[in-house]
Amino acid sequence: MKIRRTLACSAALVSVCALSGCGAIPGFGDGTTEVTVWLMKDSASDDFVQRFEQGFEKEHKGVELDVRIQEWTGIGEKITAALKGGDAPDVIEVGNTQVPQYATSGGLLDMTLESLRDWGSDAWLPGLAQPGNVDGMQYGIPWYAANRVVIYNKDLFGAAGITKPPKNRAEWLADTAKLNSGSTQGIYLAGQDWYTLAGFVWDEGGELAQEDTGDWKGTLGSPAALRGMEFYKQLQALGRGPRNADEATPPQADVFAKGKVAQMIAVPGAARAVQKANPKLADKLGYFPIPGPTDAKPGAVFTGGSDLIIPRRTAHRAEAVQVVAALTGEKWQTDLATTMNYVPNKSTLAPAVEGRAGTAAMAKGAAQGRATPNSPQWAAVEADNPIKPYMTAVLDGADPKKAAKTASDRITTLLFP
């Protein structure tokens, strides 16, 4: 097993996976091609990587995989430099929302033909597929997804006489109000949980920003986006989450672990932190998709996860495409999903995680998944993040339209290249 761990030295924000470097290696027999792969730390277990290496090499004679594990810190700068310098790996896994910034460099291989002809792109999760598509060309191929669900305390639901999770927003508000009694918080929802807000905005038909004749503009002031913020305000009031902080300050899992919070919105993996802080809650946790406006489908959610890209200058194009095809195909998608508790890249593969309560709830929500605006400059918005103070202002009683205009104007400025 040839897993190499490589350290990088600057800072990066999101969960990204990558597969690196290429080139034939002297000393191997004639006809052997080495394909270098960068995988981000903790994206896939060592056992999965070993299984994939062995399985792929057995099925593709003459191909040798060189998997190199990368650290999160500095990965964005490292990939950008590699694409510009011509010494990039053959296949790279990146965060789904990062594809546009790499695509603008002109250094990525267009895989639209393979996507349509061979890979069943019509079944891909939209939150992974959409950001991988730039100007009508598919540069990023969906690998795996994760998204938020509602984690709830079964005992508190039972004590309130609630026997099943809510199916729509109206039921959700009514149940949460019933739970929000005495020392119990109906929900712990921090005031600046903007990823959750984004889902409510999308449910109403709004957007955080939209492209208009080639330029991106903030759109938090649209009637639809304002309705999403109004629902957030109603829900957030049914608990005691801080209005001027996000879900990490304090860590919401720590608050939930005290046993007096009925619900929180988080990825299912947050349950591990809850159980570590309070082992007594280990068998008390339940999960359900974030409810939508009606019973017809769950609410929209931000989809995090990874896409696979191939540098345009790869010397091993055919082999790189084969690696992408294998990693995103049914066999290895099923293996990865069950190994790592991820959502597979296609809704048709969701049965692979049935029986895993948190992951199954996540998979149902992922069918309604979305990604942040597909602008190469969106990272600048998240770094400055005018959405957070906008949310706090509205929760504190400011005029929503005025606060939204201020935030939208700042988003527009940040998105101007």
Side-chain angles (χ1 to χ4, degrees), residues 174-200:
D175 287 349
T176 304
K178 188 182 297 185
L179 290 159
N180 193 45
S181 176
S183 61
T184 297
Q185 297 186 59
I187 190 168
Y188 183 87
L189 181 58
Q192 296 181 349
D193 187 349
W194 72 276
Y195 281 122
T196 294
L197 170 65
F200 299 159

Side-chain angles (χ1 to χ4, degrees), residues 109-382:
L109 182 68
D110 176 13
M111 292 180 278
T112 306
L113 176 60
E114 292 87 350
S115 300
L116 294 172
R117 183 189 62 197
D118 305 323
W119 296 341
S121 57
D122 57 337
W124 284 340
L125 296 177
L128 294 180
Q130 289 169 359
N133 190 295
V134 181
D135 296 330
M137 291 176 282
Q138 197 72 42
Y139 295 108
I141 308 304
W143 195 30
Y144 71 82
N147 51 267
R148 288 161 176 76
V149 300
V150 182
I151 302 176
Y152 71 98
N153 184 314
K154 295 178 181 178
D155 281 356
L156 295 179
F157 266 57
I162 301 171
T163 59
K164 58 183 179 180
K167 294 291 187 181
N168 58 58
R169 278 191 188 174
E171 289 181 6
W172 195 20
L173 283 177
D175 287 349
T176 304
K178 188 182 297 185
L179 290 159
N180 193 45
S181 176
S183 61
T184 297
Q185 297 186 59
I187 190 168
Y188 183 87
L189 181 58
Q192 296 181 349
D193 187 349
W194 72 276
Y195 281 122
T196 294
L197 170 65
F200 299 159
V201 169
W202 294 328
D203 274 337
E204 294 292 341
E207 300 289 346
L208 305 179
Q210 285 184 298
E211 191 174 13
D212 182 15
T213 61
D215 293 327
W216 284 88
K217 298 180 180 180
T219 53
L220 291 172
S222 72
L226 289 171
R227 289 195 299 271
M229 183 64 223
E230 173 58 27
F231 178 75
Y232 189 99
K233 183 177 182 179
Q234 293 177 48
L235 187 64
Q236 200 272 340
L238 299 174
R240 295 188 288 277
R243 296 174 182 170
N244 62 346
D246 62 21
E247 63 274 22
T249 313
Q252 62 176 348
D254 290 349
V255 179
F256 188 95
K258 295 177 181 177
K260 292 296 184 180
V261 172
Q263 306 169 89
M264 69 175 181
I265 299 171
V267 295
R272 290 192 296 270
V274 172
Q275 293 168 16
K276 182 177 180 180
N278 185 354
K280 293 180 180 179
L281 290 180
D283 60 348
K284 309 293 186 184
L285 303 180
Y287 310 84
F288 59 87
I290 294 173
T294 71
D295 292 9
K297 59 186 179 181
V301 289
F302 167 74
T303 301
S306 299
D307 281 10
L308 300 175
I309 60 174
I310 297 177
R312 184 170 53 83
R313 295 180 182 178
T314 175
H316 308 119
R317 173 172 174 166
E319 293 83 1
V321 169
Q322 289 171 349
V323 170
V324 171
L327 283 170
T328 61
E330 181 176 354
K331 175 182 177 180
W332 294 105
Q333 279 292 295
T334 301
D335 190 325
L336 184 68
T338 54
T339 298
M340 303 299 296
N341 288 320
Y342 291 148
V343 177
N345 63 3
K346 292 181 178 179
S347 56
T348 53
L349 298 179
V353 294
E354 287 180 359
R356 300 165 185 251
T359 312
M362 191 163 59
K364 291 177 182 177
Q368 310 304 321
R370 295 280 302 275
T372 48
N374 213 16
S375 164
Q377 281 74 45
W378 183 257
V381 175
E382 293 197 22

